[in-house]
Every structure is written in structure tokens, then in C-alpha cells.
Amino acid sequence: MVSTSRIKSVDFYRKIPRDLTEATLSGAGLSIVAALSMLFLFGMELNNYLAVSTTTSIIVDRSSDGDFLRMDFNISFPSLSCEFASVDVSDVLGTNRLNVTKTIRKFSIDSNLRPTGSEFHSGEVLSHVNHDEAGEEVVEDSVSLTSRNFDTLLHQFPISVVNFYAPWCYWCNLLKPSWEKAAKQIKERYDPEMDGRVILAKVDCTQEADLCRKNHIQGYPSIRIFRQGSDLKDNAHHDHESYYGDRDTESLVKMVIGLVEPIHLEPHKLALEDKSDNASKTLKKAPSTGGCRIEGYIRVKKVPGNLMVSARSGSHSFDSTQMNMSHVVNHLSFGRKILPQTFTDLKRLSPYLGQSHDRLNGRPFINKRDLGPNVTIEHYLQIVKTEVLKSNGHAMVEEYEYTAHSSVAHSYYLPVAKFHFELSPMQVLITENSRSFSHFITNVCAIIGGVFTVAGILDSILHQTMTLMKKIELGKNF
């Protein structure tokens, strides 16, 4: 019994008999207000505990993805032929990669950016194109074509081999002797009047600009093979092939013989798919439209550099005043591909994350000739890496965002579309903050105790005030 009494003496919560307590209307009101306040503050504290908070810091780039950065792009050029479209990469360390093709795909498109066929594959690119040595005076044996007789001649002969050239062109002048010699030999072998299976012709694109534009000629010389009956009347142009082989007399004659031999004299039957093995190596389907969509990716070093798209060939000349590098950026991003769902999930950490991941997407850069000729379109991209870490230090996502500034410049040389990129040495680090459960429980207890105590004080003050007012009122009555 003694020990029990001692234990009871340390009771912090001594009980008052119910008979000695008094319930009041004011106390009931304060109790309801206190309970609602506790419930509201508990909900606020629970929401704050469940909410994700982050801290953002700027640190020196500590990339773990190596020294190279992946660059994905999809760009449409309505006025650049896939035949000569070239993707080049360079940087300040001396890297200079020309005509990257391994990870690049090209699709012919029309002026409205609509695809016109399957993937475009250019012919075999020769490191050196052979020509006849200049010497004796050239006698012109090929037929000169104009817009007036072009269609007539193409319907007259089963095979028409046409050289689209420009008199000022260096490569055209190298081709001219062998072209005329080949025309003479073919004429002697397959007489146009007696045989009538093939003819070699030429078109001066400085005089017949519309005709060359109609056939999507952008580089000189362009040797096209037209087959009778292969016109695409719906699109008002000819379906033809391009020759990419050597340009000496022997090679040209051999190519033409390979085209003619499958065709019988009587009647003139075309074997549109019958080509010799030698011809198939140097003949490829020519672009049916004048535009090109270039898509793919490249890996670049993490130093300032350039991605350039231009017309390029080691055996053709280009008229820079006629080149139009207008383009539409369908997609351009850096780093690993991130699914849209991932960005949606990360919005809870940072509402601004991902807004600049593909800043140039869908933006057109069109030169409607109001800027004049020889216009280069340049884009300056400044890239910043953003890394999101969980509270345990595990990386949730690594993405690269960039700012873009574009401008145009008049160039003396061949115009290009240039994307200059520069990676910042700093990176943005977004870290998820963890919340302690013990801290949450402490705050809940503080809310309950604090509200209960404050309500008790208010109830006491209110009760004492009302008691005092009753005493004063009783005193007046007496």
C-alpha cells in the first residue's frame, strides 16, 4: 500500500471528480473550435510531410556519361536535295567529320514537307572521278535540249541520257570532252534514225533554269537517265535515275551500252528493272523532289563545336546564289532520350524541368528570298546539364537543356545551316529533400498540445470574465 501511494504521488495528471467539474456553453464552443483547429493543422502538417521538396545548387559538371554527348535531330530542308545534302561535324579540338552517314537517314520531301517515298540512298561516292585528258578540240555530238523539245525527245527514245550542266562549272568543263566523244560513239553504234533506242543530250541550266529546277538539279554536272513511259504525270515531273560513276569516255559508253542492251529493237520494249550488274553500281534513283528531311544522331565531344548541313560533293559544282538553306527543326535535343512520361513524373520535383529540353522543336527558319542570295542560317546553342537526385543520392534522371539564339548572315561561299553548340562547365543539381517521421510526430504533438493549451487559457479567461460580470450584476441588485 505504501509503495502504491508513492507511485500515485508522481501522477502528472491528477483527476478531479466529475461532481466537482462544471460544463459551460462557452467551454463547449471553444472545445469544438479547438478540435476543428487540431484537425485542420494536422491535415496541413500531413500534406507538408507528404509533399516533395527540393534544393537546387550549381556545381562544376561531374558528368558520368563520358567525354561524348549524343545529339539527336530531325530537320526538314524544303529546298535542299537529298542527293547532295551533307551533315558535317567539327569542334575546337580539331575534329572535322565530313558527310556523316552511318547514323543519318535521309527522306525526300516536297515543298510542303510531306515525304515522297522511302529512305533516300545516294549512289556510290567515288574518292576520285576519272575524266578524259584535255587535248583535241571538242566536236559537239550530243543534242542540246530546251524546255520546248525536252518532253518530245524523252518520249521519242526509250533511253535518254541527259547531262545538266553550267558553262561556268569546273567539273562540267572536265566532263565536256568525254561526253561529246561518248555521244559520238553511241550515235555511231546506235543510230538515232535506224536504231532509235538511245540518245545522249545536254541542257544548259543557265539558259533553261526552269527546266533544271523542274528536274531538281542542284549540282553540276548532273547526269540523268530517263526511261520512256516513266513519267509521273500526277506530280508533273519525271521519275529518273542519276549516274555516279567515272566520267571518262570509256565508262560513259559502257554505262549506256548496259542500259541499251536489255532493250529489243522490235518492238521497243523497256525492261525498266533490267540493268546490268555494272550499271546498277553507278545508277541510283534520282530524287523525285527538291527537298530532304535529315534525321538521326551524332556523338560530339563536350567542347564547343558545330553541326553543319550543306550541299557537298567532290565532283559537282553548286550555284551559291540558287541555294536556299531554309529549314524546319522538327526535333533537336542532347543527351539520352527521355520519355514524356518521365518528364511528367518529374514535374512534382520541379515544374520547370524539361521546358528547354527541345527548345527549337517545331520552329521554322524560312528564307523566302527576301533576304537575298547566299544566306547562311546560324543557331547558337548553350547547353546546361541538369541532374535530379533522390534523397538517397541515387540519380533519377540526367538531361541537357539549352538556350537558342538564331541569326542569318550573308556568305561569300556556299550557304549552310549551322548549329553552334557550347556546353557549360557548370551543371544544375536538383536534390530531393527527405523528411523525418519523428519530426512529423513531434509537430503533430505540438499542434495538439498547443491548441489544447491555448484553448484552455481562453476558456479560463472567458469563464473568469463571465463570473466577474455576474458578481457585478448581483452587487448592483443589492
Side-chain angles (χ1 to χ4, degrees):
M1 295 294 293
V2 176
S3 60
T4 304
S5 299
R6 290 182 177 179
I7 293 174
K8 287 182 177 180
S9 65
V10 298
D11 183 8
F12 292 162
Y13 308 102
R14 294 173 183 263
K15 309 301 184 295
I16 301 175
R18 182 179 293 275
D19 294 340
L20 299 179
T21 62
E22 179 184 1
T24 62
L25 186 62
S26 61
L30 279 174
S31 297
I32 295 174
V33 171
L36 293 176
S37 298
M38 289 179 189
L39 187 61
F40 174 74
L41 293 175
F42 173 77
M44 294 287 291
E45 182 63 26
L46 179 62
N47 180 69
N48 189 45
Y49 174 72
L50 296 177
V52 178
S53 66
T54 60
T55 54
T56 302
S57 55
I58 306 295
I59 63 173
V60 176
D61 188 4
R62 57 180 189 183
S63 298
S64 59
D65 50 358
D67 297 328
F68 289 87
L69 178 64
R70 175 174 171 139
M71 182 177 182
D72 289 271
F73 55 90
N74 184 323
I75 310 172
S76 296
F77 292 83
S79 301
L80 177 64
S81 173
C82 286
E83 187 177 12
F84 300 112
S86 172
V87 178
D88 307 329
V89 181
S90 62
D91 60 42
V92 296
L93 295 182
T95 301
N96 194 18
R97 299 160 58 195
L98 302 179
N99 196 19
V100 180
T101 57
K102 186 176 182 180
T103 57
I104 305 297
R105 303 175 67 192
K106 302 175 186 177
F107 299 87
S108 294
I109 59 174
D110 59 20
S111 58
N112 295 317
L113 310 184
R114 292 190 297 262
T116 59
S118 57
E119 181 180 356
F120 179 86
H121 297 279
S122 60
E124 182 182 356
V125 179
L126 301 179
S127 58
H128 175 72
V129 178
N130 293 323
H131 295 81
D132 286 349
E133 295 183 2
E136 57 191 71
E137 184 177 352
V138 178
V139 178
E140 298 190 4
D141 283 286
S142 60
V143 179
S144 294
L145 299 180
T146 66
S147 55
R148 295 181 179 181
N149 63 354
F150 185 81
D151 289 327
T152 302
L153 184 134
L154 262 58
H155 286 85
Q156 183 178 349
F157 292 90
I159 296 292
S160 300
V161 186
V162 183
N163 171 24
F164 293 87
Y165 73 99
W168 51 264
C169 166
Y170 168 78
W171 296 103
C172 296
N173 291 325
L174 285 181
L175 170 63
K176 186 175 181 179
S178 54
W179 184 260
E180 299 301 340
K181 290 178 183 177
K184 181 179 180 181
Q185 293 184 25
I186 293 300
K187 184 185 294 184
E188 294 174 349
R189 184 178 183 121
Y190 306 104
D191 184 85
E193 296 182 359
M194 300 297 295
D195 188 288
R197 284 183 288 178
V198 65
I199 190 171
L200 267 65
K202 58 188 176 184
V203 176
D204 183 351
C205 287
T206 60
Q207 300 296 323
E208 300 292 337
D210 292 338
L211 179 59
C212 294
R213 193 176 300 112
K214 178 182 176 182
N215 288 280
H216 314 295
I217 305 300
Q218 294 184 3
Y220 310 108
S222 289
I223 301 176
R224 298 283 198 255
I225 292 87
F226 296 86
R227 299 172 182 271
Q228 189 183 67
S230 63
D231 297 6
L232 298 181
K233 297 181 180 179
D234 293 338
N235 296 327
H237 60 70
H238 298 277
D239 186 20
H240 47 263
E241 298 156 301
S242 292
Y243 173 72
Y244 295 98
D246 287 323
R247 297 173 185 166
D248 57 283
T249 304
E250 182 181 355
S251 298
L252 292 172
V253 171
K254 186 178 181 179
M255 178 267 295
V256 175
I257 293 175
L259 293 171
V260 176
E261 289 305 318
I263 303 175
H264 303 288
L265 274 174
E266 293 294 340
H268 290 326
K269 292 183 179 179
L270 286 182
L272 294 178
E273 301 299 329
D274 292 341
K275 304 174 187 175
S276 67
D277 292 338
N278 292 333
S280 63
K281 295 179 181 179
T282 56
L283 296 181
K284 295 293 180 181
K285 189 176 183 299
S288 56
T289 53
C292 187
R293 187 180 81 240
I294 305 174
E295 62 181 53
Y297 72 92
I298 56 173
R299 289 173 57 82
V300 297
K301 293 181 180 178
K302 292 182 178 180
V303 296
N306 298 288
L307 167 71
M308 292 182 292
V309 180
S310 63
R312 178 180 297 278
S313 174
S315 55
H316 293 81
S317 298
F318 302 96
D319 186 355
S320 60
T321 62
Q322 299 298 318
M323 301 302 297
N324 187 342
M325 298 308 297
S326 298
H327 56 271
V328 176
V329 180
N330 304 310
H331 176 76
L332 179 64
S333 64
F334 295 88
R336 299 172 184 171
K337 289 186 177 180
I338 302 177
L339 298 176
Q341 183 61 39
T342 304
F343 275 125
T344 303
D345 296 339
L346 291 175
K347 289 295 182 183
R348 64 187 182 91
L349 293 177
S350 176
Y352 304 105
L353 195 65
Q355 292 186 358
S356 298
H357 177 71
D358 47 12
R359 179 178 288 268
L360 285 179
N361 280 21
R363 292 186 57 183
F365 301 90
I366 306 299
N367 175 17
K368 297 182 178 179
R369 296 296 181 182
D370 53 335
L371 299 175
N374 292 33
V375 173
T376 288
I377 302 176
E378 301 184 43
H379 307 279
Y380 298 89
L381 313 178
Q382 292 180 307
I383 311 163
V384 178
K385 180 183 178 181
T386 300
E387 186 175 4
V388 182
L389 299 180
K390 287 185 177 181
S391 56
N392 59 5
H394 177 70
M396 295 178 62
V397 69
E398 294 181 355
E399 62 126 2
Y400 292 85
E401 300 195 350
Y402 63 89
T403 60
H405 303 278
S406 304
S407 66
V408 296
H410 290 271
S411 173
Y412 178 77
Y413 302 101
L414 201 65
V416 301
K418 178 186 291 186
F419 296 82
H420 175 78
F421 53 87
E422 184 172 355
L423 189 67
S424 171
M426 312 301 290
Q427 78 169 70
V428 179
L429 189 65
I430 301 175
T431 307
E432 180 182 10
N433 297 328
S434 60
R435 293 185 178 274
S436 170
F437 182 72
S438 61
H439 187 265
F440 168 70
I441 294 298
T442 302
N443 285 352
V444 171
C445 293
I447 289 172
I448 295 174
V451 172
F452 187 83
T453 302
V454 171
I457 293 172
L458 292 177
D459 179 63
S460 178
I461 294 173
L462 185 60
H463 180 71
Q464 294 294 333
T465 302
M466 293 181 67
T467 302
L468 182 61
M469 290 179 65
K470 286 181 180 180
K471 288 182 179 179
I472 294 173
E473 186 178 351
L474 290 173
K476 286 181 179 180
N477 293 334
F478 289 101

